[in-house]
Amino acid sequence: MSRRGWVLVAVIVVLTLGAYALGLTDYLNIETVKARREELLSYVEARPVFSGVTFFAAYVAITALSLPAASVMTLLGGFLFGTLVGGALAVVSATVGATILFLVARSSVGGALRARAGPLAERVSESFRRNAFEYLLFMRLVPLFPFFAVNIAPALLGVGLRTYVLATLLGIVPGTFVYAHLGRELGTISSLSDLVSADVLVAFTLLGLVALLPVAYRKWKSGRLGTTALVALVAVGLTLAGGAIEARAADASYERFATAYGGLLSAHVRPARRNGIAYAGVDYGSWRRDARHAEALAALLASDPNSAASRQEKLAYWINAYNFLTVDLITREGETRSIKNLGGLLASPWKRFRWPIGGREMSLDDIEHGTIRKLGEPRIHFAVNCAAISCSDLRAEPYVARNLDAQLADQVARTFASPAKGYSADGAAVRVSKVMDWYRKDFDGGDVAGWIRANAPVELPEGARIAFLAYDWTLNDL
């Protein structure tokens, strides 16, 4: 390695260590950015050009030093500057930062390693260089390869600068603009893991395979890839394409459901009071006449529950499905007094009626007890709504994975704020929702008092004697 190469490597190492020593990486996370988002927005509004230049310089430095904050910076760019401007800034700055690291690696250790490499290593390098653009494009498109590793590896293999820059610039465009678009809703994002679902990963992998098709074709033409292998590669690509399209269609169906369902909740759920109980009332008559109900029902039944990858996504999906289908049951059957009237001689209303979801005929009982409760989240008992005024309120918005924790916490708080159906204390005599009696085991294995102390916004008296409030099954209509 030349003296210049040692100097460049030393500079990168010192700057990287300095960033960690100063704790800069501690500020490059979603929580910190969310806490200061109003301050950041005000600053950008007052100094838009300077803010853009500062963002660009910071992103370049973060990429060149391989600091673990590129995803957060891309989200921040979309939040501060919008999808197009923020995405473009992120693409250009990430490319510049990656190129700096590539040049440092090439001028320092790249040449020395290639000079010392044996014949096998040289043949591998030569094969990579012949198809460098397609290989690099594949690795940039598929979000499974560490970004910093793809910045350095081509330099060690002798890839040309022009090829590297062009493949990097084009390859990071799709993922960067997806993240920049998601960044517009930065306040609702709680974890990076909530942002990318399995079908999105499949879609990006498919794009990467498409980038490799020219390589496969050239190898086939030269006789180094048999016809059978080429057909197999195309078949795999088509299979993945079909899977991605099907997954995306199912995901789009759920998005249509959530949009229509959200509109219905906003239009037909209002505060109400009956029998001394305050609750979220549903105008079932106007809901029944709203064309969005049929749209939401069709979209939900066309959706695929398996497209919900994370636990939060599954919880949001099934809670929304349960609550919506409960309303569907009431409106379809025209019940006006109590959901319990819809039970038959041998089956309750929660077991009697079924809907085709995900290839199965499912009842409300199947959804709640066979699916939702198995996910191990006791707060769902304050979110699922059984169409009774003593039940926890029907939330006037759909549950969403990225904000589910806050929504469930709010449901707990609302329930415990209601002395008629959630929490009532008279000295050491405490009465709570009957739901906590029916599903006692879900609350810390039966320690209801311990769960309340840890999770509810109330001060449980010492030596509290827990009893349960009477449950009113009157329909939660207006």
PDB file of all heavy atoms in Angstrom, residues 52-78:
ATOM      1  N   GLY A  52     -30.744  22.167   2.897  1.00  0.00           N
ATOM      2  CA  GLY A  52     -30.494  21.145   1.885  1.00  0.00           C
ATOM      3  C   GLY A  52     -29.014  20.824   1.751  1.00  0.00           C
ATOM      4  O   GLY A  52     -28.624  19.659   1.651  1.00  0.00           O
ATOM      5  N   VAL A  53     -28.181  21.871   1.758  1.00  0.00           N
ATOM      6  CA  VAL A  53     -26.731  21.675   1.652  1.00  0.00           C
ATOM      7  C   VAL A  53     -26.204  20.928   2.882  1.00  0.00           C
ATOM      8  O   VAL A  53     -25.372  20.015   2.768  1.00  0.00           O
ATOM      9  CB  VAL A  53     -26.008  23.033   1.497  1.00  0.00           C
ATOM     10  CG1 VAL A  53     -24.502  22.855   1.580  1.00  0.00           C
ATOM     11  CG2 VAL A  53     -26.396  23.689   0.180  1.00  0.00           C
ATOM     12  N   THR A  54     -26.700  21.296   4.063  1.00  0.00           N
ATOM     13  CA  THR A  54     -26.274  20.628   5.292  1.00  0.00           C
ATOM     14  C   THR A  54     -26.684  19.165   5.289  1.00  0.00           C
ATOM     15  O   THR A  54     -25.898  18.277   5.667  1.00  0.00           O
ATOM     16  CB  THR A  54     -26.886  21.333   6.521  1.00  0.00           C
ATOM     17  OG1 THR A  54     -26.485  22.702   6.525  1.00  0.00           O
ATOM     18  CG2 THR A  54     -26.432  20.671   7.807  1.00  0.00           C
ATOM     19  N   PHE A  55     -27.915  18.888   4.861  1.00  0.00           N
ATOM     20  CA  PHE A  55     -28.386  17.505   4.770  1.00  0.00           C
ATOM     21  C   PHE A  55     -27.510  16.705   3.814  1.00  0.00           C
ATOM     22  O   PHE A  55     -27.101  15.572   4.111  1.00  0.00           O
ATOM     23  CB  PHE A  55     -29.846  17.482   4.300  1.00  0.00           C
ATOM     24  CG  PHE A  55     -30.400  16.100   4.097  1.00  0.00           C
ATOM     25  CD1 PHE A  55     -30.936  15.393   5.161  1.00  0.00           C
ATOM     26  CD2 PHE A  55     -30.392  15.509   2.846  1.00  0.00           C
ATOM     27  CE1 PHE A  55     -31.445  14.111   4.980  1.00  0.00           C
ATOM     28  CE2 PHE A  55     -30.893  14.228   2.659  1.00  0.00           C
ATOM     29  CZ  PHE A  55     -31.427  13.531   3.727  1.00  0.00           C
ATOM     30  N   PHE A  56     -27.212  17.302   2.658  1.00  0.00           N
ATOM     31  CA  PHE A  56     -26.375  16.636   1.656  1.00  0.00           C
ATOM     32  C   PHE A  56     -24.999  16.297   2.241  1.00  0.00           C
ATOM     33  O   PHE A  56     -24.526  15.156   2.130  1.00  0.00           O
ATOM     34  CB  PHE A  56     -26.222  17.548   0.437  1.00  0.00           C
ATOM     35  CG  PHE A  56     -25.265  17.027  -0.600  1.00  0.00           C
ATOM     36  CD1 PHE A  56     -25.673  16.105  -1.545  1.00  0.00           C
ATOM     37  CD2 PHE A  56     -23.945  17.460  -0.631  1.00  0.00           C
ATOM     38  CE1 PHE A  56     -24.790  15.615  -2.496  1.00  0.00           C
ATOM     39  CE2 PHE A  56     -23.058  16.992  -1.574  1.00  0.00           C
ATOM     40  CZ  PHE A  56     -23.485  16.054  -2.502  1.00  0.00           C
ATOM     41  N   ALA A  57     -24.360  17.270   2.883  1.00  0.00           N
ATOM     42  CA  ALA A  57     -23.025  17.059   3.441  1.00  0.00           C
ATOM     43  C   ALA A  57     -23.047  15.994   4.544  1.00  0.00           C
ATOM     44  O   ALA A  57     -22.152  15.135   4.613  1.00  0.00           O
ATOM     45  CB  ALA A  57     -22.474  18.372   3.988  1.00  0.00           C
ATOM     46  N   ALA A  58     -24.071  16.051   5.398  1.00  0.00           N
ATOM     47  CA  ALA A  58     -24.169  15.066   6.486  1.00  0.00           C
ATOM     48  C   ALA A  58     -24.372  13.657   5.940  1.00  0.00           C
ATOM     49  O   ALA A  58     -23.760  12.688   6.408  1.00  0.00           O
ATOM     50  CB  ALA A  58     -25.315  15.441   7.425  1.00  0.00           C
ATOM     51  N   TYR A  59     -25.206  13.534   4.909  1.00  0.00           N
ATOM     52  CA  TYR A  59     -25.474  12.218   4.320  1.00  0.00           C
ATOM     53  C   TYR A  59     -24.217  11.664   3.656  1.00  0.00           C
ATOM     54  O   TYR A  59     -23.898  10.471   3.771  1.00  0.00           O
ATOM     55  CB  TYR A  59     -26.620  12.316   3.307  1.00  0.00           C
ATOM     56  CG  TYR A  59     -27.371  11.027   3.093  1.00  0.00           C
ATOM     57  CD1 TYR A  59     -28.765  11.001   3.111  1.00  0.00           C
ATOM     58  CD2 TYR A  59     -26.715   9.826   2.865  1.00  0.00           C
ATOM     59  CE1 TYR A  59     -29.477   9.824   2.904  1.00  0.00           C
ATOM     60  CE2 TYR A  59     -27.408   8.651   2.653  1.00  0.00           C
ATOM     61  CZ  TYR A  59     -28.786   8.656   2.673  1.00  0.00           C
ATOM     62  OH  TYR A  59     -29.473   7.489   2.476  1.00  0.00           O
ATOM     63  N   VAL A  60     -23.489  12.523   2.951  1.00  0.00           N
ATOM     64  CA  VAL A  60     -22.235  12.093   2.318  1.00  0.00           C
ATOM     65  C   VAL A  60     -21.266  11.567   3.374  1.00  0.00           C
ATOM     66  O   VAL A  60     -20.653  10.503   3.229  1.00  0.00           O
ATOM     67  CB  VAL A  60     -21.598  13.252   1.533  1.00  0.00           C
ATOM     68  CG1 VAL A  60     -20.165  12.898   1.112  1.00  0.00           C
ATOM     69  CG2 VAL A  60     -22.429  13.586   0.296  1.00  0.00           C
ATOM     70  N   ALA A  61     -21.121  12.320   4.462  1.00  0.00           N
ATOM     71  CA  ALA A  61     -20.192  11.920   5.523  1.00  0.00           C
ATOM     72  C   ALA A  61     -20.626  10.605   6.165  1.00  0.00           C
ATOM     73  O   ALA A  61     -19.799   9.716   6.419  1.00  0.00           O
ATOM     74  CB  ALA A  61     -20.106  13.019   6.577  1.00  0.00           C
ATOM     75  N   ILE A  62     -21.915  10.460   6.435  1.00  0.00           N
ATOM     76  CA  ILE A  62     -22.425   9.235   7.061  1.00  0.00           C
ATOM     77  C   ILE A  62     -22.167   8.025   6.172  1.00  0.00           C
ATOM     78  O   ILE A  62     -21.757   6.955   6.648  1.00  0.00           O
ATOM     79  CB  ILE A  62     -23.929   9.386   7.357  1.00  0.00           C
ATOM     80  CG1 ILE A  62     -24.130  10.315   8.563  1.00  0.00           C
ATOM     81  CG2 ILE A  62     -24.594   8.033   7.602  1.00  0.00           C
ATOM     82  CD1 ILE A  62     -25.555  10.734   8.782  1.00  0.00           C
ATOM     83  N   THR A  63     -22.373   8.186   4.862  1.00  0.00           N
ATOM     84  CA  THR A  63     -22.140   7.079   3.935  1.00  0.00           C
ATOM     85  C   THR A  63     -20.656   6.765   3.810  1.00  0.00           C
ATOM     86  O   THR A  63     -20.251   5.597   3.846  1.00  0.00           O
ATOM     87  CB  THR A  63     -22.720   7.418   2.553  1.00  0.00           C
ATOM     88  OG1 THR A  63     -24.093   7.790   2.682  1.00  0.00           O
ATOM     89  CG2 THR A  63     -22.619   6.223   1.618  1.00  0.00           C
ATOM     90  N   ALA A  64     -19.828   7.788   3.668  1.00  0.00           N
ATOM     91  CA  ALA A  64     -18.386   7.575   3.510  1.00  0.00           C
ATOM     92  C   ALA A  64     -17.775   6.928   4.746  1.00  0.00           C
ATOM     93  O   ALA A  64     -16.832   6.131   4.637  1.00  0.00           O
ATOM     94  CB  ALA A  64     -17.697   8.896   3.205  1.00  0.00           C
ATOM     95  N   LEU A  65     -18.308   7.248   5.925  1.00  0.00           N
ATOM     96  CA  LEU A  65     -17.778   6.691   7.169  1.00  0.00           C
ATOM     97  C   LEU A  65     -18.496   5.400   7.584  1.00  0.00           C
ATOM     98  O   LEU A  65     -18.182   4.829   8.623  1.00  0.00           O
ATOM     99  CB  LEU A  65     -17.906   7.721   8.294  1.00  0.00           C
ATOM    100  CG  LEU A  65     -17.141   9.036   8.095  1.00  0.00           C
ATOM    101  CD1 LEU A  65     -17.383   9.977   9.268  1.00  0.00           C
ATOM    102  CD2 LEU A  65     -15.650   8.782   7.904  1.00  0.00           C
ATOM    103  N   SER A  66     -19.454   4.975   6.766  1.00  0.00           N
ATOM    104  CA  SER A  66     -20.205   3.732   7.023  1.00  0.00           C
ATOM    105  C   SER A  66     -20.909   3.750   8.370  1.00  0.00           C
ATOM    106  O   SER A  66     -20.996   2.721   9.062  1.00  0.00           O
ATOM    107  CB  SER A  66     -19.277   2.505   6.928  1.00  0.00           C
ATOM    108  OG  SER A  66     -18.700   2.418   5.643  1.00  0.00           O
ATOM    109  N   LEU A  67     -21.436   4.903   8.766  1.00  0.00           N
ATOM    110  CA  LEU A  67     -22.192   4.991  10.009  1.00  0.00           C
ATOM    111  C   LEU A  67     -23.593   4.412   9.794  1.00  0.00           C
ATOM    112  O   LEU A  67     -24.192   4.603   8.730  1.00  0.00           O
ATOM    113  CB  LEU A  67     -22.294   6.449  10.476  1.00  0.00           C
ATOM    114  CG  LEU A  67     -20.967   7.151  10.765  1.00  0.00           C
ATOM    115  CD1 LEU A  67     -21.222   8.593  11.206  1.00  0.00           C
ATOM    116  CD2 LEU A  67     -20.182   6.409  11.837  1.00  0.00           C
ATOM    117  N   PRO A  68     -24.153   3.714  10.776  1.00  0.00           N
ATOM    118  CA  PRO A  68     -25.446   3.025  10.600  1.00  0.00           C
ATOM    119  C   PRO A  68     -26.641   3.975  10.703  1.00  0.00           C
ATOM    120  O   PRO A  68     -27.455   3.873  11.624  1.00  0.00           O
ATOM    121  CB  PRO A  68     -25.445   2.006  11.748  1.00  0.00           C
ATOM    122  CG  PRO A  68     -24.650   2.686  12.822  1.00  0.00           C
ATOM    123  CD  PRO A  68     -23.570   3.457  12.116  1.00  0.00           C
ATOM    124  N   ALA A  69     -26.735   4.901   9.758  1.00  0.00           N
ATOM    125  CA  ALA A  69     -27.816   5.885   9.849  1.00  0.00           C
ATOM    126  C   ALA A  69     -28.387   6.276   8.493  1.00  0.00           C
ATOM    127  O   ALA A  69     -29.171   7.214   8.408  1.00  0.00           O
ATOM    128  CB  ALA A  69     -27.314   7.132  10.573  1.00  0.00           C
ATOM    129  N   ALA A  70     -28.022   5.548   7.429  1.00  0.00           N
ATOM    130  CA  ALA A  70     -28.492   5.921   6.094  1.00  0.00           C
ATOM    131  C   ALA A  70     -30.012   5.840   5.992  1.00  0.00           C
ATOM    132  O   ALA A  70     -30.657   6.715   5.401  1.00  0.00           O
ATOM    133  CB  ALA A  70     -27.826   5.036   5.036  1.00  0.00           C
ATOM    134  N   SER A  71     -30.609   4.795   6.573  1.00  0.00           N
ATOM    135  CA  SER A  71     -32.070   4.649   6.487  1.00  0.00           C
ATOM    136  C   SER A  71     -32.777   5.788   7.211  1.00  0.00           C
ATOM    137  O   SER A  71     -33.756   6.349   6.702  1.00  0.00           O
ATOM    138  CB  SER A  71     -32.494   3.307   7.096  1.00  0.00           C
ATOM    139  OG  SER A  71     -31.969   2.230   6.358  1.00  0.00           O
ATOM    140  N   VAL A  72     -32.276   6.140   8.385  1.00  0.00           N
ATOM    141  CA  VAL A  72     -32.873   7.243   9.141  1.00  0.00           C
ATOM    142  C   VAL A  72     -32.728   8.554   8.378  1.00  0.00           C
ATOM    143  O   VAL A  72     -33.655   9.369   8.323  1.00  0.00           O
ATOM    144  CB  VAL A  72     -32.228   7.358  10.536  1.00  0.00           C
ATOM    145  CG1 VAL A  72     -32.751   8.580  11.280  1.00  0.00           C
ATOM    146  CG2 VAL A  72     -32.498   6.105  11.346  1.00  0.00           C
ATOM    147  N   MET A  73     -31.573   8.760   7.759  1.00  0.00           N
ATOM    148  CA  MET A  73     -31.357   9.991   6.985  1.00  0.00           C
ATOM    149  C   MET A  73     -32.304  10.064   5.785  1.00  0.00           C
ATOM    150  O   MET A  73     -32.805  11.141   5.446  1.00  0.00           O
ATOM    151  CB  MET A  73     -29.904  10.068   6.519  1.00  0.00           C
ATOM    152  CG  MET A  73     -28.914  10.398   7.621  1.00  0.00           C
ATOM    153  SD  MET A  73     -29.154  12.068   8.306  1.00  0.00           S
ATOM    154  CE  MET A  73     -28.647  13.090   6.910  1.00  0.00           C
ATOM    155  N   THR A  74     -32.546   8.928   5.149  1.00  0.00           N
ATOM    156  CA  THR A  74     -33.463   8.926   4.003  1.00  0.00           C
ATOM    157  C   THR A  74     -34.880   9.254   4.446  1.00  0.00           C
ATOM    158  O   THR A  74     -35.589  10.032   3.790  1.00  0.00           O
ATOM    159  CB  THR A  74     -33.427   7.557   3.303  1.00  0.00           C
ATOM    160  OG1 THR A  74     -32.079   7.224   2.969  1.00  0.00           O
ATOM    161  CG2 THR A  74     -34.260   7.586   2.026  1.00  0.00           C
ATOM    162  N   LEU A  75     -35.313   8.664   5.563  1.00  0.00           N
ATOM    163  CA  LEU A  75     -36.630   9.002   6.115  1.00  0.00           C
ATOM    164  C   LEU A  75     -36.708  10.483   6.458  1.00  0.00           C
ATOM    165  O   LEU A  75     -37.708  11.155   6.169  1.00  0.00           O
ATOM    166  CB  LEU A  75     -36.903   8.172   7.369  1.00  0.00           C
ATOM    167  CG  LEU A  75     -37.117   6.670   7.186  1.00  0.00           C
ATOM    168  CD1 LEU A  75     -37.111   5.970   8.534  1.00  0.00           C
ATOM    169  CD2 LEU A  75     -38.427   6.393   6.457  1.00  0.00           C
ATOM    170  N   LEU A  76     -35.634  11.004   7.057  1.00  0.00           N
ATOM    171  CA  LEU A  76     -35.594  12.418   7.425  1.00  0.00           C
ATOM    172  C   LEU A  76     -35.663  13.309   6.198  1.00  0.00           C
ATOM    173  O   LEU A  76     -36.339  14.344   6.201  1.00  0.00           O
ATOM    174  CB  LEU A  76     -34.325  12.706   8.229  1.00  0.00           C
ATOM    175  CG  LEU A  76     -34.127  14.145   8.711  1.00  0.00           C
ATOM    176  CD1 LEU A  76     -35.270  14.567   9.628  1.00  0.00           C
ATOM    177  CD2 LEU A  76     -32.789  14.289   9.422  1.00  0.00           C
ATOM    178  N   GLY A  77     -34.970  12.902   5.121  1.00  0.00           N
ATOM    179  CA  GLY A  77     -35.024  13.682   3.885  1.00  0.00           C
ATOM    180  C   GLY A  77     -36.433  13.783   3.336  1.00  0.00           C
ATOM    181  O   GLY A  77     -36.882  14.856   2.926  1.00  0.00           O
ATOM    182  N   GLY A  78     -37.154  12.660   3.334  1.00  0.00           N
ATOM    183  CA  GLY A  78     -38.540  12.692   2.863  1.00  0.00           C
ATOM    184  C   GLY A  78     -39.425  13.537   3.751  1.00  0.00           C
ATOM    185  O   GLY A  78     -40.321  14.241   3.280  1.00  0.00           O
TER     186      GLY A  78
END
